[in-house]
Amino acid sequence: EAAVTQSPRNKVAVTGGKVTLSCNQTNNHNNMYWYRQDTGHGLRLIHYSYGAGSTEKGDIPDGYKASRPSQENFSLILELATPSQTSVYFCASGEGGSYEQYFGPGTRLTVL
Amino acid sequence: GDQVEQSPSALSLHEGTSSALRCNFTTTTRSVQWFRQNSRGSLINLFYLASGTKENGRLKSAFDSKELYSTLHIRDAQLEDSGTYFCAAEGSSGNKLIFGIGTLLSVKP
């Protein structure tokens, strides 16, 4: 059973549109993370959360919002999508006292 | 800021041979994690180390927090080992990982 799942797996959006990427984890981990992966940059942290109701800015938060309504769910929201946000997005979860993280399968987002 | 430098950027091995990947850290880190990204894009956890070495089958990883580096040794490489290998260090601030840009490993018959 996959412990971190993401939806949708693929998404095509138009410039200026709103995009919501969803993540669900069954690890019962306190921490959850959103990264994006681009060629030449590895994975970069966008937002993260320490638990339900908490969101924190990562290294590249501009243009993104996050929402953590429950222990299991963590969403990444692009209010006004731009072509520069075309990327592969990964969600991860981790225990509060450890930096070990477990990743979902990724969402490929294309903004036209 | 915190940086993770991975080498080599690309590596080609014949089946049955062995090699090592390396990550150097620009600042002190308390732990390192290694992943393999497969052809479908999934990130597979290989190792999490806070110190010392760990071994799993044909893979072995070491972490030297004082000398600021970690290695991943692949023994008797197989075709299914192909993929991109990432190391990630615990960030100095905030609860996050700092990723290297990866090593693209191709294993050939």
Side-chain angles (χ1 to χ4, degrees):
Chain A
E1 288 287 338
V4 182
T5 56
Q6 296 181 228
S7 63
R9 294 294 314 279
N10 290 280
K11 172 75 177 178
V12 178
V14 296
T15 298
K18 181 177 181 178
V19 177
T20 300
L21 307 183
S22 299
C23 178
N24 176 276
Q25 56 106 355
T26 58
N27 294 323
N28 198 30
H29 287 159
N30 289 327
N31 297 347
M32 295 185 74
Y33 310 82
W34 277 106
Y35 295 85
R36 63 178 283 175
Q37 183 179 26
D38 304 287
T39 303
H41 287 282
L43 278 77
R44 293 179 291 172
L45 183 65
I46 305 169
H47 284 289
Y48 60 102
S49 167
Y50 291 121
S54 122
T55 61
E56 306 288 336
K57 292 181 179 180
D59 295 324
I60 53 166
D62 293 345
Y64 303 93
K65 290 172 54 180
S67 174
R68 182 86 181 272
S70 65
Q71 177 85 339
E72 297 80 18
N73 295 295
F74 190 36
S75 297
L76 185 69
I77 302 151
L78 291 66
E79 295 278 6
L80 294 170
T82 67
S84 65
Q85 294 175 312
T86 292
S87 187
V88 180
Y89 291 85
F90 286 93
C91 175
S93 74
E95 288 283 359
S98 162
Y99 281 74
E100 186 170 14
Q101 296 181 19
Y102 298 85
F103 283 77
T107 294
R108 183 173 296 277
L109 173 66
T110 302
V111 183
L112 302 175
Chain B
D2 301 344
Q3 287 191 1
V4 175
E5 301 165 350
Q6 276 191 252
S7 61
S9 57
L11 180 62
S12 181
L13 295 177
H14 286 290
E15 271 187 302
T17 61
S18 302
S19 190
L21 313 180
R22 184 177 175 107
C23 277
N24 292 321
F25 312 116
T26 58
T27 57
T28 300
T29 181
R30 292 182 297 183
S31 66
V32 63
Q33 201 167 353
W34 284 91
F35 302 87
R36 179 175 65 241
Q37 188 167 37
N38 63 20
S39 58
R40 289 179 299 171
S42 296
L43 284 162
I44 301 162
N45 288 48
L46 299 176
F47 295 103
Y48 172 78
L49 297 98
S51 65
T53 63
K54 286 187 178 179
E55 192 166 357
N56 184 3
R58 296 177 293 100
L59 300 180
K60 181 177 180 179
S61 183
F63 173 44
D64 189 326
S65 58
K66 290 184 179 179
E67 297 299 324
L68 304 181
Y69 75 91
S70 177
T71 56
L72 177 68
H73 292 261
I74 302 171
R75 174 175 55 82
D76 185 25
Q78 301 297 305
L79 296 177
E80 60 264 29
D81 294 331
S82 295
T84 302
Y85 289 76
F86 291 96
C87 66
E90 179 180 320
S92 59
S93 61
N95 196 359
K96 63 182 181 181
L97 294 176
I98 309 296
F99 279 79
I101 62 172
T103 294
L104 177 60
L105 174 64
S106 299
V107 180
K108 301 178 179 179

